[in-house]
Amino acid sequence: MKAVVQRVSEASVTIEGIRVAAIQKGLLVLIGLEESDSREDQDWLTSKIVNLRIFDDENHVMNLSLKDIDGEMIIVSQFTLQASTKKGNRPSYLKAAKPEIAIPLYESFIQQMESELGKKVQTGKFGADMKVALLNDGPVTIVIDTKNTE
């Protein structure tokens, strides 16, 4: 699993002209799933994201997590995070999980994130052509890959 975690002042997802998700202060999480991802990857990644201390405390030091600030979250599936650019100029997506594997993983990831946060998270729609808007706060953008946990 790969994730791009962005600290945002606001973010939204629009599909076919309809806004399907919108948040204020919190995290926009883009998630890319691959065939070999497991429940262990999911457990590790949800815990890491929920507890990532990237929000400012009273001394303007990044010392607080999303849970600490009671922030909001949008999760968006993005298979292009699994792109391989080693050969040529056209990315290969061979490592990206096929929908029959990716959809259950994506839905399980969302459910676990909601459980960890103790509240509902907003989402895009798997496989849809989405327009994602955000106001990156900082900017703070963290890339996390469960295959590189050491």
Side-chain angles (χ1 to χ4, degrees):
M1 291 181 155
K2 290 183 182 174
V4 174
V5 179
Q6 298 178 87
R7 185 178 79 180
V8 298
S9 297
E10 60 185 64
S12 65
V13 178
T14 302
I15 302 172
E16 296 180 3
I18 299 169
R19 184 174 278 186
V20 297
I23 64 168
Q24 294 300 306
K25 186 174 186 174
L27 297 176
L28 171 65
V29 178
L30 307 175
I31 182 84
L33 305 163
E34 72 175 67
E35 298 282 335
S36 65
D37 287 334
S38 67
R39 180 62 188 227
E40 286 179 352
D41 291 305
Q42 178 180 312
D43 291 346
W44 185 87
L45 187 58
T46 53
S47 178
K48 180 63 71 175
I49 292 171
V50 165
N51 294 298
L52 203 58
R53 297 181 340 181
I54 59 173
F55 292 92
D56 291 351
D57 63 16
E58 63 279 356
N59 297 314
H60 304 289
V61 175
M62 286 196 281
N63 207 22
L64 301 175
S65 70
L66 185 67
K67 284 175 82 169
D68 294 331
I69 67 156
D70 195 30
E72 299 178 285
M73 179 183 288
I74 296 179
I75 300 173
V76 176
S77 63
Q78 188 170 354
F79 78 95
T80 60
L81 290 178
Q82 294 297 342
S84 173
T85 57
K86 288 183 180 181
K87 294 183 189 174
N89 293 319
R90 182 178 176 168
S92 168
Y93 303 105
L94 291 176
K95 287 176 65 175
K98 307 290 183 275
E100 57 272 12
I101 293 171
I103 292 171
L105 273 172
Y106 176 66
E107 291 173 350
S108 178
F109 179 77
I110 293 165
Q111 290 171 350
Q112 186 169 353
M113 192 63 77
E114 289 177 337
S115 178
E116 294 253 353
L117 284 172
K119 66 169 145 182
K120 188 104 173 105
V121 300
Q122 297 191 47
T123 66
K125 181 179 178 193
F126 188 93
D129 180 14
M130 296 174 272
K131 308 303 180 207
V132 179
L134 68 134
L135 182 57
N136 195 317
D137 180 17
V140 175
T141 302
I142 310 286
V143 179
I144 305 171
D145 186 341
T146 62
K147 306 304 186 233
N148 296 321
T149 60
E150 295 180 19

